[in-house]
Amino acid sequence: MAAFPTTRMRRMRANDWSRRLMRENTLTPNDLIWTLVVSDTANPTEPVASMPGVERLSVKAAADAARRARDLGIPAIAVFPHLDPSLKDENGREADNPDGLVAQAIKAMKDAAPEVGIICDVALDPFTDHGHDGLMEDGVILNDASVERLCSQALMQAASGCDVVAPSDMMDGRIGAIRGALDSEGFQDTLIMSYAAKYASAFYGPYRDAIGSAKALQGDKKTYQMDPANSDEAIREVALDIDEGADMVMVKPGLPYLDIVARLKATFEMPTYAFQVSGEYAMIQAASQNGWIDGERAMMESLLAFKRAGADGILSYFAPKAAELLND
């Protein structure tokens, strides 16, 4: 490359048209997956105090959200449940209830907007009274017994019309077991989006408020979620999930782990997604509400960063707001 003054990098930045011509990455509504919480509340909506702008939605309101996603051009919605505490127990009995909240929400959303993909979380934490993603015995999270429950949960979701099951539990071997269970019951076309590199992060706090597991959680999740210090371990986790039948892989959280997103995409060349989690959302919203940052610019910059790192799409609570701006 020729040196200054022959090369002047600012020349191409001087005008909007030239900046657009050399832009390396773009963000569109097609890159967004709307993450929302559906609740068994009698109210149409309930605000989540730690996530300004996010509400728990009734089944009817979730169906309306599906129509809104369709109209905004958002391809898919990721659904997370908030249950009345009386429905929770140590085994997460509601997780595979074919008449339960999740099944009702899937059916209502698919009826409202069948062209919008529905992604369902496969984990037990919204359904257990101890707040963990698997079954617990004497303070130990059981792997193989948990996987059996997760297979039953995934089958219920597929039977209800879910397009993508997304195991977020981080139990060993669950992708292969779920793939086998789905295939054996005739759901060979149901996709699996694996939370393949999910870290034991401090950024999940507002989400646990949203689904009602924060106060119930006993201990932490470090025995099954990944150590934030590790990168090579993510390679091994993703390789195993791909071998077991995952169609897509995900990194969670998002912005603190852009290096992991980039490394996984370069290594495996698989459809790779990032989850902009509740803590990331809440920080941007809080700073915006306090006038410390331009909230819309920060939102769009953060979403574009995922694309720059190599993500094929982003799960985000910002999805509808971002899609509105992109469409304008």
Side-chain angles (χ1 to χ4, degrees):
M1 179 185 295
F4 176 85
T6 303
T7 298
R8 291 180 180 266
M9 296 294 289
R10 289 183 58 192
R11 275 196 291 256
M12 284 294 288
R13 302 177 195 151
N15 298 285
D16 176 68
W17 64 263
S18 58
R19 291 192 297 270
R20 284 188 286 130
L21 277 175
M22 72 167 186
R23 187 163 293 151
E24 298 173 31
N25 295 282
T26 57
L27 180 73
T28 78
N30 292 327
D31 299 310
L32 302 173
I33 296 171
W34 183 359
T35 53
L36 60 78
V37 177
V38 65
S39 178
D40 53 8
T41 175
N43 302 316
T45 62
E46 288 181 346
V48 179
S50 56
M51 299 178 69
V54 169
E55 298 174 318
R56 302 184 190 101
L57 305 180
S58 68
V59 170
K60 182 179 183 300
D64 293 338
R67 296 186 189 96
R68 185 183 177 197
R70 176 197 61 203
D71 295 343
L72 289 170
I74 296 172
I77 294 175
V79 180
F80 300 88
H82 171 272
L83 268 69
D84 186 289
S86 66
L87 295 175
K88 300 183 181 186
D89 65 7
E90 62 181 359
N91 296 316
R93 70 178 187 275
E94 276 294 304
D96 56 357
N97 182 355
D99 299 313
L101 173 64
V102 173
Q104 292 176 39
I106 295 168
K107 293 171 184 175
M109 295 171 81
K110 292 304 290 185
D111 285 345
E115 57 271 72
V116 175
I118 301 299
I119 302 170
C120 287
D121 181 59
V122 181
L124 301 182
D125 54 323
F127 306 97
T128 57
D129 56 12
H130 48 70
H132 278 284
D133 297 40
L135 304 180
M136 186 166 68
E137 184 176 288
D138 298 327
V140 176
I141 305 303
L142 305 177
N143 192 91
D144 296 5
S146 297
V147 169
E148 290 185 18
R149 291 287 295 127
L150 297 169
C151 287
S152 181
Q153 183 182 17
L155 284 171
M156 179 279 291
Q157 294 171 353
S160 299
C162 176
D163 301 290
V164 184
V165 296
S168 66
D169 56 286
M170 292 298 286
M171 297 298 121
D172 290 335
R174 89 275 202 216
I175 300 300
I178 290 172
R179 183 75 272 163
L182 291 171
D183 290 356
S184 68
E185 294 296 324
F187 299 112
Q188 63 273 5
D189 293 329
T190 300
L191 298 163
I192 297 179
M193 173 187 281
S194 171
Y195 287 62
K198 182 179 180 181
Y199 286 83
S201 172
F203 288 91
Y204 304 145
Y207 165 76
R208 290 172 184 162
D209 287 339
I211 67 164
S213 69
K215 294 180 180 179
L217 182 60
Q218 300 175 20
D220 57 48
K221 302 188 178 185
K222 294 179 180 178
T223 66
Y224 49 99
Q225 294 178 358
M226 286 180 54
D227 187 334
N230 293 354
S231 175
D232 290 346
E233 184 183 10
I235 298 293
R236 296 182 63 195
E237 285 280 10
V238 171
L240 286 166
D241 286 1
I242 293 171
D243 286 346
E244 290 177 18
D247 299 289
M248 301 167 273
V249 296
M250 185 207 298
V251 176
K252 183 180 181 182
L255 287 176
Y257 297 87
L258 290 181
D259 61 315
I260 306 300
V261 174
R263 189 174 178 193
L264 295 182
K265 186 62 178 179
T267 301
F268 297 105
E269 299 180 336
M270 280 282 291
T272 303
Y273 296 81
F275 199 138
Q276 187 177 46
V277 299
S278 60
E280 299 171 64
Y281 171 91
M283 287 192 301
I284 292 174
Q285 287 291 79
S288 175
Q289 289 187 345
N290 279 283
W292 298 334
I293 61 173
D294 182 324
E296 285 189 357
R297 285 188 61 193
M299 171 185 70
M300 301 305 285
E301 183 178 339
S302 68
L303 293 170
L304 186 59
F306 292 112
K307 293 294 293 180
R308 192 186 66 245
D312 295 289
I314 310 109
L315 291 84
S316 177
Y317 299 94
F318 282 126
K321 184 177 180 180
E324 287 177 349
L325 290 175
L326 290 167
N327 287 327
D328 287 342

